[in-house]
Amino acid sequence: MPPTRENLSSGISVFAAVVDAGSFTAAAEAIGISPPGVSRSIARLERRLNIRLFNRTTRSVSLTEEGRRFYDEVMPHVWGMEEAATAAAGGTAAVRGTLRINLDPVTSGFLLGAPLARFMDDHPDLSLAFIARDHLGDLVTEGFDMALRFGEPRSSSLVARKLLDTSVVTVAAPSYLARHGRPEDPRELGTGKHRCLEFRDPETGRPFAWEFHRKRRKLAVETHGKLTVNDPGALVHACVAGVGIAQMLSLAAAPLIRERRLVNLFPDWPDERFPLYAYLPTRQHMPAKSRAFLDFVVALSS
């Protein structure tokens, strides 16, 4: 007998529980079925989809590339149905209280702008607490409602929800180009002829690698910059001042490019993308204040 929609929905619910809990055993405890029952449900879903969702070892479970893609594509619809059901039942709460958010410097620099002021004007009963952290840590123990991070999600028991992605651009100030000339090819940045500004990855402590993407082609360039910063505001300020060439998110660079304070050096390499994820302790019963803030962040890219 072919799988019914009810079976598919049940399988997706078990799949989400495994992602949330981080293991089949913990998921079984959370949803009240046996571990073999979880395994059978996942196996049926994998047969239904004709893909392998999890990498399984005796000690750990992690999403495969296809599993992560399925999660990113399907779960927003599941959350949307849950939120619609909550709204239909009259259970939505007012947007009020304090929302504690774990942020890294890149994300805080992206959020702290005029749109945030408008969001706060729209929700006068809500207070925001942005707490800088290089690492996610334990959101529940530390009292965070969510964390926001740019970059692909790492293995975690938290729920990772993709909000948006933005392109990465390579830029320089007109004053820098007047002194040093404009590079014609990205590979020139690895020759030592140009001064590149490095940005430290808060997760690894090392500068982000410089990459250039054009459709399926990817070009990696070793830049060996002599100035490294870990604050996005400092990176923008140094680049606008003509100190060197930088790679930054187009969300930050686009207004400066329009104002001709920065120049996009390689518009023919437009396809490197950098995603923003929200990390949540659970996908169940998201408070209205969290929903409102995530909707606000998604709208920033439109």
Side-chain angles (χ1 to χ4, degrees):
M1 178 182 296
T4 65
R5 291 184 180 179
E6 182 178 358
N7 289 339
L8 180 60
S9 176
S10 174
I12 291 173
S13 296
V14 174
F15 166 70
V18 174
V19 177
D20 288 356
S23 73
F24 282 26
T25 301
E29 294 177 357
I31 59 180
I33 65 176
S34 67
V38 171
S39 296
R40 288 192 295 270
S41 182
I42 294 299
R44 285 194 297 269
L45 182 60
E46 289 178 326
R47 287 195 299 271
R48 175 76 167 86
L49 301 174
N50 198 30
I51 61 174
R52 185 163 56 90
L53 296 169
F54 293 102
N55 294 311
R56 304 168 177 84
T57 70
T58 56
R59 295 185 178 181
S60 66
V61 172
S62 62
L63 285 169
T64 63
E65 182 178 350
E66 294 84 0
R68 171 58 64 186
R69 187 180 303 115
F70 179 72
Y71 185 87
D72 288 341
E73 291 177 355
V74 170
M75 293 315 298
H77 300 290
V78 175
W79 289 318
M81 288 188 291
E82 290 177 349
E83 291 167 9
T86 301
T92 51
V95 180
R96 62 165 59 98
T98 299
L99 188 66
R100 285 175 50 84
I101 306 172
N102 175 320
L103 298 168
D104 63 6
V106 177
T107 311
S108 62
F110 157 67
L111 290 175
L112 293 173
L116 182 64
R118 293 193 294 271
F119 172 79
M120 297 179 72
D121 289 341
D122 291 340
H123 303 287
D125 295 327
L126 178 66
S127 297
L128 298 174
F130 287 178
I131 311 298
R133 292 283 191 277
D134 279 351
H135 301 283
L136 288 174
D138 188 328
L139 298 189
V140 175
T141 301
E142 297 183 54
F144 287 107
D145 296 285
M146 68 176 71
L148 296 179
R149 288 290 188 279
F150 275 103
E152 292 298 335
R154 291 165 172 79
S155 178
S156 170
S157 62
L158 300 171
V159 179
R161 179 174 180 177
K162 186 177 180 180
L163 303 180
L164 56 89
D165 63 9
T166 181
S167 60
V168 177
V169 292
T170 307
V171 292
S175 60
Y176 175 89
L177 299 177
R179 293 195 309 274
H180 300 279
R182 178 170 178 165
E184 299 291 332
D185 186 282
R187 285 167 288 200
E188 291 182 39
L189 303 183
T191 64
K193 177 181 177 181
H194 288 279
R195 184 185 302 138
C196 295
L197 308 176
E198 309 286 2
F199 191 84
R200 185 179 69 86
D201 182 343
E203 289 288 335
T204 66
R206 298 187 298 272
F208 280 102
W210 287 51
E211 294 182 355
F212 300 85
H213 295 231
R214 179 192 292 157
K215 295 183 180 179
R216 294 186 177 182
R217 185 183 177 192
K218 182 174 78 171
L219 176 65
V221 176
E222 293 189 21
T223 51
H224 305 294
K226 295 184 178 180
L227 174 62
T228 301
V229 299
N230 68 347
D231 176 74
L235 182 71
V236 171
H237 181 77
C239 192
V240 170
V243 176
I245 296 173
Q247 282 198 330
M248 63 182 68
L249 302 180
S250 61
L251 285 170
L256 299 169
I257 293 171
R258 287 194 297 267
E259 296 165 7
R260 299 185 179 181
R261 298 172 66 191
L262 290 177
V263 176
N264 183 1
L265 298 179
F266 306 110
D268 54 338
W269 291 83
D271 296 324
E272 183 180 2
R273 311 295 295 181
F274 210 50
L276 176 66
Y277 279 84
Y279 294 86
L280 306 165
T282 175
R283 68 183 182 90
Q284 301 291 338
H285 310 303
M286 185 186 298
K289 61 183 180 180
S290 298
R291 289 198 304 271
F293 187 77
L294 294 182
D295 290 344
F296 155 71
V297 175
V298 170
L300 291 177
S301 65
S302 59

